[in-house]
Amino acid sequence: MLIFVKIFYMKLFVAGFPNDFDDVDLKDMFGLYGEVTSARFVIDRATGKSKGFGFIEMPDKAEAMETIAILHGIGIKGKKISVQKAEERQSNGNYKPRNDFNRRY
């Protein structure tokens, strides 16, 4: 007998973190308030350093909402952080890739 369990996780957007924070710091910090399935900062391709914002995934929506209420607006190393529910990425159906090779001048 197979039992399927659907996990209703919540994805959070976090911003305003100092650039010296890494994914482990982020997971440890949010792990104090509930289970964290993933935590990652967006990395600047040119420098290889954190851009100071990223995403957290928590499997329990209630814990995620409580975490937002507790952490949104607190100060870390002189910076106020923002913690909010991440919005789903909207697809723009009008996207057309640039083709500079065939551009007419």
Side-chain angles (χ1 to χ4, degrees):
M1 175 186 222
L2 291 174
I3 298 175
F4 293 96
V5 177
K6 188 172 184 178
I7 298 176
F8 295 99
Y9 72 91
M10 180 177 259
K11 192 171 193 174
L12 307 179
F13 171 76
V14 297
F17 282 82
N19 292 346
D20 60 347
F21 264 55
D22 63 15
D23 295 349
V24 174
D25 296 327
L26 192 62
K27 187 170 186 172
D28 289 346
M29 179 181 175
F30 280 78
L32 296 172
Y33 303 97
E35 183 182 351
V36 175
T37 54
S38 73
R40 66 177 174 82
F41 278 111
V42 174
I43 303 299
D44 184 311
R45 290 182 185 172
T47 65
K49 294 185 179 184
S50 166
K51 288 188 173 187
F53 68 91
F55 298 92
I56 306 285
E57 286 184 359
M58 298 179 79
D60 186 319
K61 281 187 175 184
E63 285 180 354
M65 293 304 292
E66 186 175 340
T67 302
I68 291 170
I70 293 169
L71 295 180
H72 181 73
I74 68 164
I76 297 178
K77 295 187 178 182
K79 296 179 87 174
K80 276 192 172 184
I81 66 167
S82 174
V83 181
Q84 57 193 1
K85 181 179 177 188
E87 295 184 17
E88 291 296 320
R89 212 173 189 177
Q90 296 296 319
S91 174
N92 181 352
N94 297 327
Y95 173 76
K96 293 181 182 173
R98 257 180 93 176
N99 187 352
D100 288 341
F101 183 74
N102 293 324
R103 183 188 294 181
R104 292 181 186 197
Y105 293 94

